[in-house]
Amino acid sequence: MYDTICAISTSLGVGAISIIRVSGEDAIKKVAILFDGKDLTKVNSHTIHYGHIIKDNEIIDEVLVSVFKAPKTYTKEDIVEINSHGGIATTKKVLEVLLESGIRHAEPGEFTKRAFLNGRIDLSQAESVESLINSATELERKLALNGVSGKVSRKIKKARDIIVELMANIEVNIDYPEYEDALLITLDNLPPKLNEIKSELESLLDEAKIGKIVENGIKVAIVGRPNVGKSSLLNHMLQEKKAIVTDIAGTTRDIVEGEVELKGIRLKFIDTAGIRETSDIVEQIGVDKSLQMIEDADLVIHVLNNNEKLTNEDKEIMNKLKDKTHITFINKSDLNNVLEINYKEFVKGNTIEDNGLDELKNKIIELFDLETIEKSNLEIVASIRVINLIKEALEHINNALNNVSAEIPVDMIAIDIKAAWDALGEVTGESYQDELLDTLFSKFCLGK
Protein backbone atom coordinates (compact mmCIF):
# COMPACT_ATOMS: atom_id res chain seq x y z
CA MET A 1 0.00 0.00 0.00
CA TYR A 2 2.85 2.42 0.76
CA ASP A 3 5.23 1.48 -2.04
CA THR A 4 5.42 3.37 -5.34
CA ILE A 5 3.60 1.90 -8.32
CA CYS A 6 3.41 2.56 -12.05
CA ALA A 7 1.39 1.44 -15.08
CA ILE A 8 0.45 2.48 -18.59
CA SER A 9 -2.82 4.42 -18.35
CA THR A 10 -3.67 4.69 -22.04
CA SER A 11 -4.50 1.98 -24.57
CA LEU A 12 -1.34 0.32 -25.81
CA GLY A 13 -0.97 0.86 -29.56
CA VAL A 14 -0.13 3.44 -32.20
CA GLY A 15 -1.20 6.94 -31.15
CA ALA A 16 -0.08 10.51 -30.60
CA ILE A 17 0.76 10.06 -26.91
CA SER A 18 0.87 7.46 -24.18
CA ILE A 19 0.56 8.19 -20.46
CA ILE A 20 2.47 6.24 -17.85
CA ARG A 21 1.21 6.96 -14.34
CA VAL A 22 3.33 6.73 -11.17
CA SER A 23 1.86 6.99 -7.65
CA GLY A 24 3.33 6.73 -4.18
CA GLU A 25 5.49 8.37 -1.57
CA ASP A 26 8.62 8.26 -3.78
CA ALA A 27 6.90 8.91 -7.12
CA ILE A 28 8.35 12.39 -7.69
CA LYS A 29 11.83 11.53 -6.39
CA LYS A 30 12.18 8.35 -8.47
CA VAL A 31 10.97 9.91 -11.71
CA ALA A 32 13.17 12.98 -11.11
CA ILE A 33 16.26 10.74 -11.22
CA LEU A 34 15.29 9.56 -14.72
CA PHE A 35 14.17 12.97 -16.00
CA ASP A 36 16.49 15.34 -17.84
CA GLY A 37 14.83 18.70 -17.36
CA LYS A 38 13.71 20.75 -14.35
CA ASP A 39 14.30 19.27 -10.91
CA LEU A 40 10.89 17.68 -10.31
CA THR A 41 11.42 17.64 -6.55
CA LYS A 42 11.38 21.44 -6.55
CA VAL A 43 8.54 22.26 -8.94
CA ASN A 44 5.05 23.33 -7.93
CA SER A 45 2.16 20.89 -7.81
CA HIS A 46 -0.11 20.52 -10.84
CA THR A 47 2.52 21.68 -13.32
CA ILE A 48 3.83 20.22 -16.60
CA HIS A 49 7.51 20.09 -17.60
CA TYR A 50 9.33 19.37 -20.85
CA GLY A 51 12.38 17.13 -20.97
CA HIS A 52 13.66 13.62 -21.66
CA ILE A 53 13.61 10.27 -19.93
CA ILE A 54 17.22 9.18 -19.66
CA LYS A 55 18.90 5.88 -18.78
CA ASP A 56 22.67 5.36 -18.79
CA ASN A 57 23.04 8.67 -20.67
CA GLU A 58 20.79 7.38 -23.44
CA ILE A 59 17.65 9.33 -24.36
CA ILE A 60 14.67 6.99 -24.12
CA ASP A 61 12.04 9.51 -25.19
CA GLU A 62 11.14 13.17 -25.38
CA VAL A 63 8.37 13.69 -22.84
CA LEU A 64 6.08 16.04 -20.93
CA VAL A 65 5.91 15.22 -17.22
CA SER A 66 2.98 16.30 -15.03
CA VAL A 67 3.56 16.56 -11.28
CA PHE A 68 0.71 16.33 -8.75
CA LYS A 69 1.48 16.55 -5.06
CA ALA A 70 -0.58 14.90 -2.30
CA PRO A 71 -3.24 15.17 -1.09
CA LYS A 72 -4.99 16.83 -4.06
CA THR A 73 -4.53 13.91 -6.45
CA TYR A 74 -6.53 10.91 -7.67
CA THR A 75 -4.94 8.56 -5.11
CA LYS A 76 -4.25 11.28 -2.47
CA GLU A 77 -0.58 10.31 -2.93
CA ASP A 78 2.11 12.05 -4.98
CA ILE A 79 1.47 11.30 -8.66
CA VAL A 80 3.63 11.77 -11.74
CA GLU A 81 2.25 11.27 -15.23
CA ILE A 82 4.73 10.84 -18.07
CA ASN A 83 3.34 11.83 -21.47
CA SER A 84 5.51 9.97 -23.98
CA HIS A 85 5.19 9.51 -27.71
CA GLY A 86 2.56 6.96 -28.59
CA GLY A 87 3.59 3.57 -29.87
CA ILE A 88 4.07 0.16 -28.33
CA ALA A 89 7.89 0.06 -28.31
CA THR A 90 8.36 3.57 -26.88
CA THR A 91 5.68 3.19 -24.20
CA LYS A 92 6.97 -0.20 -23.08
CA LYS A 93 10.54 1.10 -22.92
CA VAL A 94 9.59 4.02 -20.66
CA LEU A 95 7.67 1.60 -18.42
CA GLU A 96 10.66 -0.78 -18.39
CA VAL A 97 12.98 2.03 -17.23
CA LEU A 98 10.58 2.89 -14.39
CA LEU A 99 10.38 -0.74 -13.27
CA GLU A 100 14.16 -1.11 -13.34
CA SER A 101 14.43 1.95 -11.07
CA GLY A 102 12.60 0.05 -8.30
CA ILE A 103 9.03 1.18 -8.93
CA ARG A 104 6.55 -1.72 -8.73
CA HIS A 105 4.11 -2.50 -11.55
CA ALA A 106 0.57 -1.68 -10.41
CA GLU A 107 -2.04 -4.39 -10.12
CA PRO A 108 -5.34 -4.02 -12.03
CA GLY A 109 -7.32 -1.14 -10.53
CA GLU A 110 -4.70 -0.39 -7.90
CA PHE A 111 -4.75 3.37 -8.44
CA THR A 112 -8.52 3.46 -7.84
CA LYS A 113 -8.12 1.01 -4.95
CA ARG A 114 -5.69 3.45 -3.31
CA ALA A 115 -8.14 6.29 -3.94
CA PHE A 116 -10.73 4.29 -2.01
CA LEU A 117 -8.42 3.16 0.81
CA ASN A 118 -7.12 6.72 1.22
CA GLY A 119 -10.67 8.05 1.57
CA ARG A 120 -10.95 10.04 -1.63
CA ILE A 121 -13.89 8.01 -2.98
CA ASP A 122 -16.20 5.34 -1.57
CA LEU A 123 -16.64 1.83 -2.94
CA SER A 124 -19.76 2.69 -4.93
CA GLN A 125 -17.91 5.55 -6.62
CA ALA A 126 -14.99 3.23 -7.37
CA GLU A 127 -17.31 0.80 -9.16
CA SER A 128 -18.70 3.69 -11.18
CA VAL A 129 -15.19 4.61 -12.35
CA GLU A 130 -14.95 1.23 -14.10
CA SER A 131 -18.47 1.65 -15.52
CA LEU A 132 -17.49 5.08 -16.87
CA ILE A 133 -14.46 3.61 -18.64
CA ASN A 134 -16.58 0.85 -20.19
CA SER A 135 -19.63 3.01 -21.04
CA ALA A 136 -20.75 2.46 -24.63
CA THR A 137 -23.72 4.88 -24.87
CA GLU A 138 -24.47 8.43 -23.75
CA LEU A 139 -26.93 7.19 -21.11
CA GLU A 140 -24.35 4.75 -19.73
CA ARG A 141 -21.87 7.62 -19.49
CA LYS A 142 -24.35 9.81 -17.59
CA LEU A 143 -25.30 6.97 -15.26
CA ALA A 144 -21.66 6.17 -14.45
CA LEU A 145 -20.72 9.84 -14.04
CA ASN A 146 -23.49 10.32 -11.47
CA GLY A 147 -22.05 7.36 -9.60
CA VAL A 148 -18.51 8.77 -9.74
CA SER A 149 -19.72 12.16 -8.49
CA GLY A 150 -21.22 10.55 -5.39
CA LYS A 151 -24.88 11.34 -6.16
CA VAL A 152 -25.85 7.68 -5.80
CA SER A 153 -23.77 7.22 -2.66
CA ARG A 154 -25.58 10.11 -1.00
CA LYS A 155 -28.91 8.27 -1.44
CA ILE A 156 -27.45 5.19 0.26
CA LYS A 157 -26.03 7.31 3.08
CA LYS A 158 -29.42 8.98 3.58
CA ALA A 159 -31.03 5.58 4.26
CA ARG A 160 -28.12 4.61 6.48
CA ASP A 161 -28.39 7.83 8.50
CA ILE A 162 -32.06 7.10 9.26
CA ILE A 163 -31.07 3.64 10.50
CA VAL A 164 -28.17 4.84 12.63
CA GLU A 165 -30.38 7.44 14.34
CA LEU A 166 -32.86 4.70 15.21
CA MET A 167 -30.06 2.41 16.42
CA ALA A 168 -28.62 5.17 18.60
CA ASN A 169 -31.98 5.75 20.32
CA ILE A 170 -32.40 2.03 20.97
CA GLU A 171 -28.87 1.77 22.42
CA VAL A 172 -29.48 4.74 24.72
CA ASN A 173 -32.77 3.21 25.90
CA ILE A 174 -30.99 -0.05 26.72
CA ASP A 175 -27.74 1.27 28.23
CA TYR A 176 -28.98 4.51 29.81
CA PRO A 177 -32.66 4.08 30.72
CA GLU A 178 -32.42 7.04 33.09
CA TYR A 179 -31.55 9.42 30.21
CA GLU A 180 -34.88 11.23 29.72
CA ASP A 181 -33.97 13.33 26.68
CA ALA A 182 -33.71 10.31 24.38
CA LEU A 183 -36.77 9.15 22.46
CA LEU A 184 -38.13 5.98 24.04
CA ILE A 185 -38.33 3.31 21.32
CA THR A 186 -41.20 0.89 21.87
CA LEU A 187 -43.10 -1.71 19.84
CA ASP A 188 -45.74 0.98 19.26
CA ASN A 189 -43.56 3.71 17.76
CA LEU A 190 -40.99 1.43 16.05
CA PRO A 191 -43.09 0.45 12.96
CA PRO A 192 -43.35 4.00 11.51
CA LYS A 193 -39.57 4.38 11.67
CA LEU A 194 -38.99 0.94 10.14
CA ASN A 195 -41.52 1.69 7.41
CA GLU A 196 -39.68 4.93 6.62
CA ILE A 197 -36.47 2.95 6.12
CA LYS A 198 -38.35 0.32 4.11
CA SER A 199 -39.78 3.02 1.84
CA GLU A 200 -36.31 4.46 1.19
CA LEU A 201 -34.89 1.04 0.27
CA GLU A 202 -37.85 0.09 -1.94
CA SER A 203 -37.52 3.41 -3.75
CA LEU A 204 -33.84 2.67 -4.43
CA LEU A 205 -34.74 -0.77 -5.81
CA ASP A 206 -37.50 0.64 -8.02
CA GLU A 207 -35.05 3.12 -9.50
CA ALA A 208 -32.47 0.35 -9.91
CA LYS A 209 -34.66 -1.34 -12.54
CA ILE A 210 -33.89 1.61 -14.80
CA GLY A 211 -30.20 1.48 -13.87
CA LYS A 212 -29.94 -2.18 -14.85
CA ILE A 213 -31.49 -1.49 -18.25
CA VAL A 214 -29.12 1.43 -18.92
CA GLU A 215 -25.97 -0.38 -17.76
CA ASN A 216 -26.69 -3.88 -19.06
CA GLY A 217 -28.93 -3.16 -22.02
CA ILE A 218 -31.89 -5.33 -23.04
CA LYS A 219 -31.26 -8.92 -24.11
CA VAL A 220 -33.66 -9.65 -26.97
CA ALA A 221 -34.09 -13.26 -28.16
CA ILE A 222 -35.64 -13.82 -31.58
CA VAL A 223 -37.37 -17.21 -31.53
CA GLY A 224 -39.65 -19.30 -33.68
CA ARG A 225 -39.70 -22.45 -35.71
CA PRO A 226 -37.42 -22.79 -38.78
CA ASN A 227 -37.92 -20.59 -41.88
CA VAL A 228 -40.18 -17.93 -40.36
CA GLY A 229 -37.66 -15.12 -40.99
CA LYS A 230 -35.80 -14.87 -37.66
CA SER A 231 -32.39 -14.36 -39.26
CA SER A 232 -33.80 -11.88 -41.76
CA LEU A 233 -35.36 -9.93 -38.89
CA LEU A 234 -32.03 -9.88 -37.05
CA ASN A 235 -30.18 -8.63 -40.14
CA HIS A 236 -32.72 -5.87 -40.72
CA MET A 237 -32.69 -4.74 -37.09
CA LEU A 238 -28.88 -4.62 -37.12
CA GLN A 239 -28.80 -3.21 -40.66
CA GLU A 240 -26.11 -5.68 -41.62
CA LYS A 241 -25.94 -9.26 -42.87
CA LYS A 242 -24.98 -10.85 -39.56
CA ALA A 243 -26.87 -14.13 -39.94
CA ILE A 244 -26.94 -16.50 -42.92
CA VAL A 245 -30.36 -16.52 -44.61
CA THR A 246 -31.51 -19.42 -46.83
CA ASP A 247 -34.73 -21.26 -47.63
CA ILE A 248 -33.31 -24.40 -46.05
CA ALA A 249 -34.87 -25.23 -42.67
CA GLY A 250 -32.31 -25.51 -39.89
CA THR A 251 -29.73 -23.14 -41.42
CA THR A 252 -29.20 -21.38 -38.07
CA ARG A 253 -27.83 -23.97 -35.65
CA ASP A 254 -26.23 -21.73 -33.06
CA ILE A 255 -27.03 -18.33 -31.63
CA VAL A 256 -25.99 -15.25 -33.64
CA GLU A 257 -25.68 -11.96 -31.77
CA GLY A 258 -25.52 -8.26 -32.53
CA GLU A 259 -26.21 -4.89 -30.88
CA VAL A 260 -28.04 -1.71 -31.83
CA GLU A 261 -28.83 1.39 -29.83
CA LEU A 262 -32.41 2.51 -29.30
CA LYS A 263 -33.18 5.67 -27.29
CA GLY A 264 -29.71 5.41 -25.71
CA ILE A 265 -30.22 1.78 -24.64
CA ARG A 266 -28.27 -1.14 -26.09
CA LEU A 267 -30.48 -3.84 -27.55
CA LYS A 268 -28.58 -7.13 -27.60
CA PHE A 269 -30.29 -9.15 -30.30
CA ILE A 270 -29.85 -12.91 -30.36
CA ASP A 271 -30.99 -14.96 -33.35
CA THR A 272 -31.69 -18.53 -32.24
CA ALA A 273 -31.98 -21.87 -33.99
CA GLY A 274 -35.46 -22.78 -35.22
CA ILE A 275 -37.42 -24.72 -32.61
CA ARG A 276 -38.68 -28.02 -33.96
CA GLU A 277 -38.47 -31.78 -33.50
CA THR A 278 -35.20 -33.01 -35.04
CA SER A 279 -33.06 -36.13 -35.12
CA ASP A 280 -29.95 -34.12 -36.01
CA ILE A 281 -27.76 -34.02 -32.86
CA VAL A 282 -26.09 -30.71 -33.77
CA GLU A 283 -29.40 -29.03 -34.62
CA GLN A 284 -30.92 -30.36 -31.38
CA ILE A 285 -28.17 -28.62 -29.39
CA GLY A 286 -29.16 -25.39 -31.14
CA VAL A 287 -32.84 -25.99 -30.32
CA ASP A 288 -31.97 -26.57 -26.65
CA LYS A 289 -30.02 -23.28 -26.63
CA SER A 290 -33.03 -21.52 -28.15
CA LEU A 291 -35.30 -22.78 -25.37
CA GLN A 292 -32.74 -21.65 -22.78
CA MET A 293 -32.56 -18.18 -24.37
CA ILE A 294 -36.30 -17.79 -23.83
CA GLU A 295 -35.61 -18.14 -20.11
CA ASP A 296 -32.58 -15.84 -20.08
CA ALA A 297 -33.81 -13.00 -22.30
CA ASP A 298 -35.33 -9.74 -21.07
CA LEU A 299 -37.54 -9.63 -24.18
CA VAL A 300 -38.55 -12.37 -26.60
CA ILE A 301 -39.67 -11.66 -30.16
CA HIS A 302 -41.73 -14.60 -31.39
CA VAL A 303 -41.76 -14.74 -35.19
CA LEU A 304 -44.71 -16.33 -37.04
CA ASN A 305 -45.57 -16.47 -40.73
CA ASN A 306 -48.71 -14.71 -41.92
CA ASN A 307 -49.33 -17.32 -44.64
CA GLU A 308 -49.00 -20.40 -42.41
CA LYS A 309 -51.29 -21.87 -39.80
CA LEU A 310 -50.09 -22.38 -36.23
CA THR A 311 -48.09 -25.56 -35.74
CA ASN A 312 -47.50 -27.56 -32.56
CA GLU A 313 -44.03 -25.97 -32.35
CA ASP A 314 -45.63 -22.49 -32.49
CA LYS A 315 -48.07 -23.41 -29.72
CA GLU A 316 -45.25 -24.83 -27.58
CA ILE A 317 -43.32 -21.57 -27.89
CA MET A 318 -46.44 -19.50 -27.14
CA ASN A 319 -47.00 -21.55 -24.00
CA LYS A 320 -43.44 -20.85 -22.83
CA LEU A 321 -43.95 -17.12 -23.37
CA LYS A 322 -46.99 -16.74 -21.12
CA ASP A 323 -44.99 -15.27 -18.24
CA LYS A 324 -42.29 -13.56 -20.34
CA THR A 325 -42.16 -10.05 -21.72
CA HIS A 326 -42.61 -10.72 -25.44
CA ILE A 327 -43.73 -9.34 -28.77
CA THR A 328 -45.30 -11.41 -31.55
CA PHE A 329 -43.93 -10.41 -34.97
CA ILE A 330 -46.03 -11.73 -37.86
CA ASN A 331 -43.77 -11.89 -40.90
CA LYS A 332 -44.66 -12.06 -44.62
CA SER A 333 -47.57 -9.68 -44.24
CA ASP A 334 -47.61 -9.30 -48.06
CA LEU A 335 -48.86 -12.91 -48.45
CA ASN A 336 -52.38 -14.26 -47.94
CA ASN A 337 -53.37 -14.38 -44.26
CA VAL A 338 -54.20 -17.86 -43.00
CA LEU A 339 -52.79 -17.36 -39.48
CA GLU A 340 -55.36 -17.26 -36.70
CA ILE A 341 -54.21 -16.08 -33.28
CA ASN A 342 -55.97 -14.58 -30.28
CA TYR A 343 -53.25 -12.05 -29.44
CA LYS A 344 -54.56 -8.54 -28.95
CA GLU A 345 -51.13 -7.00 -29.51
CA PHE A 346 -48.81 -8.00 -32.33
CA VAL A 347 -46.75 -6.39 -35.05
CA LYS A 348 -47.20 -7.29 -38.68
CA GLY A 349 -44.34 -6.81 -41.09
CA ASN A 350 -42.26 -8.02 -43.98
CA THR A 351 -38.52 -8.50 -43.53
CA ILE A 352 -37.99 -8.42 -47.32
CA GLU A 353 -39.17 -4.81 -47.57
CA ASP A 354 -38.48 -3.66 -43.98
CA ASN A 355 -42.20 -3.24 -43.31
CA GLY A 356 -43.24 -3.17 -39.66
CA LEU A 357 -39.72 -2.73 -38.23
CA ASP A 358 -40.35 0.84 -37.06
CA GLU A 359 -43.55 -0.34 -35.38
CA LEU A 360 -41.56 -3.17 -33.74
CA LYS A 361 -39.01 -0.67 -32.39
CA ASN A 362 -41.81 1.55 -31.08
CA LYS A 363 -43.32 -1.45 -29.32
CA ILE A 364 -39.98 -2.09 -27.57
CA ILE A 365 -39.79 1.58 -26.58
CA GLU A 366 -43.30 1.32 -25.13
CA LEU A 367 -42.73 -1.98 -23.28
CA PHE A 368 -39.61 -0.74 -21.47
CA ASP A 369 -40.66 2.92 -21.24
CA LEU A 370 -37.44 3.97 -22.95
CA GLU A 371 -38.74 7.52 -23.53
CA THR A 372 -38.90 8.06 -19.75
CA ILE A 373 -35.49 6.46 -19.20
CA GLU A 374 -33.94 8.72 -21.84
CA LYS A 375 -35.21 11.80 -19.97
CA SER A 376 -34.31 10.52 -16.48
CA ASN A 377 -31.61 12.25 -14.42
CA LEU A 378 -30.07 8.76 -13.90
CA GLU A 379 -29.07 9.38 -10.28
CA ILE A 380 -29.79 5.72 -9.60
CA VAL A 381 -28.22 2.44 -8.56
CA ALA A 382 -27.10 0.08 -11.34
CA SER A 383 -24.46 -2.24 -9.84
CA ILE A 384 -25.67 -5.81 -9.24
CA ARG A 385 -23.52 -5.93 -6.09
CA VAL A 386 -25.17 -2.80 -4.71
CA ILE A 387 -28.68 -3.94 -5.66
CA ASN A 388 -28.16 -7.26 -3.86
CA LEU A 389 -26.94 -5.45 -0.73
CA ILE A 390 -29.98 -3.15 -0.74
CA LYS A 391 -32.20 -6.23 -1.07
CA GLU A 392 -30.38 -7.78 1.87
CA ALA A 393 -30.91 -4.64 3.96
CA LEU A 394 -34.61 -4.59 3.00
CA GLU A 395 -34.97 -8.23 4.05
CA HIS A 396 -33.58 -7.39 7.50
CA ILE A 397 -36.00 -4.45 7.85
CA ASN A 398 -38.92 -6.70 6.87
CA ASN A 399 -37.75 -9.22 9.48
CA ALA A 400 -37.70 -6.43 12.05
CA LEU A 401 -41.29 -5.45 11.16
CA ASN A 402 -42.41 -9.08 11.45
CA ASN A 403 -40.73 -9.32 14.84
CA VAL A 404 -42.58 -6.20 15.99
CA SER A 405 -45.85 -7.90 15.06
CA ALA A 406 -44.72 -10.95 17.03
CA GLU A 407 -43.99 -8.66 20.00
CA ILE A 408 -40.32 -9.62 20.16
CA PRO A 409 -38.37 -7.35 22.57
CA VAL A 410 -36.91 -4.20 21.00
CA ASP A 411 -33.32 -5.16 21.90
CA MET A 412 -33.74 -8.36 19.84
CA ILE A 413 -35.28 -6.47 16.91
CA ALA A 414 -32.23 -4.19 17.00
CA ILE A 415 -30.13 -7.11 15.67
CA ASP A 416 -31.91 -7.00 12.31
CA ILE A 417 -31.74 -3.20 12.22
CA LYS A 418 -27.97 -3.37 12.78
CA ALA A 419 -27.66 -6.02 10.04
CA ALA A 420 -29.45 -3.69 7.57
CA TRP A 421 -27.06 -0.88 8.53
CA ASP A 422 -24.05 -3.17 7.97
CA ALA A 423 -25.33 -4.28 4.55
CA LEU A 424 -25.65 -0.67 3.39
CA GLY A 425 -22.19 -0.01 4.82
CA GLU A 426 -20.81 -2.57 2.36
CA VAL A 427 -22.29 -0.54 -0.50
CA THR A 428 -20.06 2.46 0.20
CA GLY A 429 -17.21 0.48 1.72
CA GLU A 430 -17.62 1.73 5.27
CA SER A 431 -17.51 -1.98 6.07
CA TYR A 432 -15.84 -4.44 3.72
CA GLN A 433 -13.70 -7.56 3.45
CA ASP A 434 -10.32 -7.66 1.73
CA GLU A 435 -11.57 -10.44 -0.57
CA LEU A 436 -14.27 -8.09 -1.87
CA LEU A 437 -11.73 -5.42 -2.76
CA ASP A 438 -9.48 -7.92 -4.51
CA THR A 439 -12.40 -9.20 -6.61
CA LEU A 440 -13.82 -5.77 -7.38
CA PHE A 441 -10.61 -4.05 -8.44
CA SER A 442 -9.27 -7.06 -10.37
CA LYS A 443 -11.82 -6.18 -13.07
CA PHE A 444 -10.20 -2.78 -13.66
CA CYS A 445 -7.60 -2.05 -16.34
CA LEU A 446 -3.98 -1.82 -15.16
CA GLY A 447 -3.58 1.95 -15.43
CA LYS A 448 -6.72 2.82 -13.49
Side-chain angles (χ1 to χ4, degrees):
M1 176 64 186
Y2 298 104
D3 55 352
T4 300
I5 58 173
C6 66
I8 300 168
S9 290
T10 47
S11 296
L12 194 57
V14 177
I17 62 168
S18 291
I19 299 175
I20 300 94
R21 176 181 284 172
V22 185
S23 180
E25 186 176 335
D26 296 327
I28 298 173
K29 182 174 69 176
K30 285 184 176 289
V31 175
I33 295 172
L34 304 170
F35 182 65
D36 182 21
K38 284 189 176 181
D39 184 351
L40 298 181
T41 63
K42 297 179 180 178
V43 301
N44 293 328
S45 181
H46 294 71
T47 54
I48 302 176
H49 308 278
Y50 168 80
H52 297 85
I53 295 295
I54 303 287
K55 184 189 178 187
D56 299 330
N57 296 320
E58 176 192 352
I59 294 178
I60 304 301
D61 192 25
E62 181 183 33
V63 297
L64 288 172
V65 174
S66 303
V67 176
F68 307 94
K69 295 182 180 180
K72 294 183 178 180
T73 70
Y74 183 69
T75 60
K76 296 192 77 173
E77 303 171 337
D78 286 344
I79 285 182
V80 177
E81 290 185 350
I82 301 170
N83 294 259
S84 70
H85 286 94
I88 295 174
T90 301
T91 307
K92 283 188 171 181
K93 188 62 181 178
V94 173
L95 179 65
E96 179 186 315
V97 170
L98 292 172
L99 295 173
E100 288 175 351
S101 74
I103 301 173
R104 176 173 65 78
H105 199 294
E107 298 173 356
E110 190 168 0
F111 293 98
T112 304
K113 184 177 182 179
R114 290 189 176 200
F116 163 68
L117 292 173
N118 290 329
R120 183 183 175 275
I121 57 176
D122 65 32
L123 205 53
S124 177
Q125 289 174 286
E127 281 184 290
S128 297
V129 169
E130 181 68 358
S131 296
L132 187 59
I133 293 171
N134 294 325
S135 58
T137 70
E138 177 63 9
L139 291 187
E140 288 177 43
R141 182 193 69 81
K142 288 181 179 179
L143 178 70
L145 194 60
N146 282 334
V148 171
S149 68
K151 291 178 179 178
V152 176
S153 295
R154 284 193 284 274
K155 290 190 171 187
I156 300 294
K157 288 176 180 176
K158 178 184 176 184
R160 206 163 184 254
D161 287 344
I162 298 171
I163 296 174
V164 79
E165 183 180 352
L166 178 57
M167 287 168 52
N169 275 314
I170 292 174
E171 289 296 325
V172 170
N173 291 170
I174 295 170
D175 296 335
Y176 305 99
E178 72 280 1
Y179 192 71
E180 297 180 355
D181 289 343
L183 175 65
L184 181 63
I185 303 297
T186 67
L187 294 178
D188 292 327
N189 62 17
L190 188 53
K193 297 185 178 300
L194 291 175
N195 280 318
E196 181 184 2
I197 299 166
K198 179 179 179 179
S199 178
E200 286 287 337
L201 298 179
E202 287 177 338
S203 176
L204 288 169
L205 290 176
D206 283 341
E207 293 175 346
K209 294 174 185 176
I210 295 175
K212 286 176 68 177
I213 290 175
V214 173
E215 185 164 271
N216 302 322
I218 300 171
K219 187 184 290 185
V220 184
I222 304 174
V223 303
R225 57 184 169 80
N227 269 8
V228 291
K230 300 185 301 300
S231 297
S232 295
L233 179 59
L234 173 77
N235 289 341
H236 283 283
M237 294 300 282
L238 300 180
Q239 296 186 329
E240 63 173 299
K241 292 184 178 179
K242 190 87 172 182
I244 299 172
V245 179
T246 74
D247 293 330
I248 302 170
T251 298
T252 303
R253 295 189 169 209
D254 202 352
I255 60 174
V256 181
E257 302 180 60
E259 286 190 10
V260 295
E261 188 177 326
L262 183 63
K263 294 292 180 181
I265 303 297
R266 285 179 295 139
L267 300 184
K268 303 176 181 180
F269 282 99
I270 304 160
D271 177 26
T272 62
I275 298 173
R276 67 170 178 175
E277 292 282 344
T278 178
S279 58
D280 186 309
I281 295 175
V282 176
E283 187 180 355
Q284 184 59 51
I285 293 172
V287 171
D288 292 340
K289 282 187 177 181
S290 299
L291 294 173
Q292 183 58 49
M293 285 311 306
I294 291 177
E295 299 298 322
D296 296 342
D298 301 307
L299 170 67
V300 179
I301 298 177
H302 182 202
V303 183
L304 297 170
N305 274 343
N306 187 56
N307 64 325
E308 296 175 347
K309 293 183 178 181
L310 286 177
T311 66
N312 290 332
E313 285 91 351
D314 293 327
K315 292 175 183 177
E316 180 186 349
I317 296 170
M318 291 164 70
N319 187 55
K320 288 183 177 294
L321 295 179
K322 284 181 180 178
D323 299 322
K324 291 288 299 185
T325 302
H326 68 279
I327 299 171
T328 300
F329 182 78
I330 301 175
N331 194 22
K332 302 180 182 178
S333 58
D334 56 320
L335 301 180
N336 290 333
N337 177 27
V338 299
L339 181 65
E340 295 180 1
I341 58 174
N342 296 321
Y343 288 174
K344 293 181 180 178
E345 293 189 16
F346 55 83
V347 175
K348 275 196 170 187
N350 180 350
T351 54
I352 300 298
E353 300 173 358
D354 281 1
N355 292 336
L357 298 190
D358 286 340
E359 187 182 346
L360 181 59
K361 290 177 184 178
N362 289 334
K363 185 67 71 175
I364 296 173
I365 292 170
E366 178 186 327
L367 275 175
F368 291 90
D369 201 10
L370 300 189
E371 296 275 9
T372 300
I373 293 176
E374 188 180 32
K375 297 172 184 176
S376 169
N377 62 20
L378 297 178
E379 295 177 7
I380 50 184
V381 173
S383 161
I384 297 298
R385 182 189 74 88
V386 173
I387 290 170
N388 287 336
L389 287 169
I390 295 172
K391 286 180 178 177
E392 182 183 331
L394 180 58
E395 184 178 345
H396 286 300
I397 295 301
N398 283 329
N399 286 340
L401 282 165
N402 290 335
N403 287 334
V404 169
S405 299
E407 298 186 349
I408 303 295
V410 171
D411 57 336
M412 297 297 292
I413 295 172
I415 295 173
D416 268 314
I417 299 173
K418 172 68 163 55
W421 185 74
D422 287 337
L424 294 180
E426 288 187 45
V427 171
T428 56
E430 291 175 73
S431 58
Y432 64 87
Q433 296 178 350
D434 290 338
E435 292 82 359
L436 169 64
L437 297 189
D438 293 340
T439 301
L440 182 64
F441 289 106
S442 67
K443 300 175 185 177
F444 280 55
C445 54
L446 283 171
K448 197 62 180 176

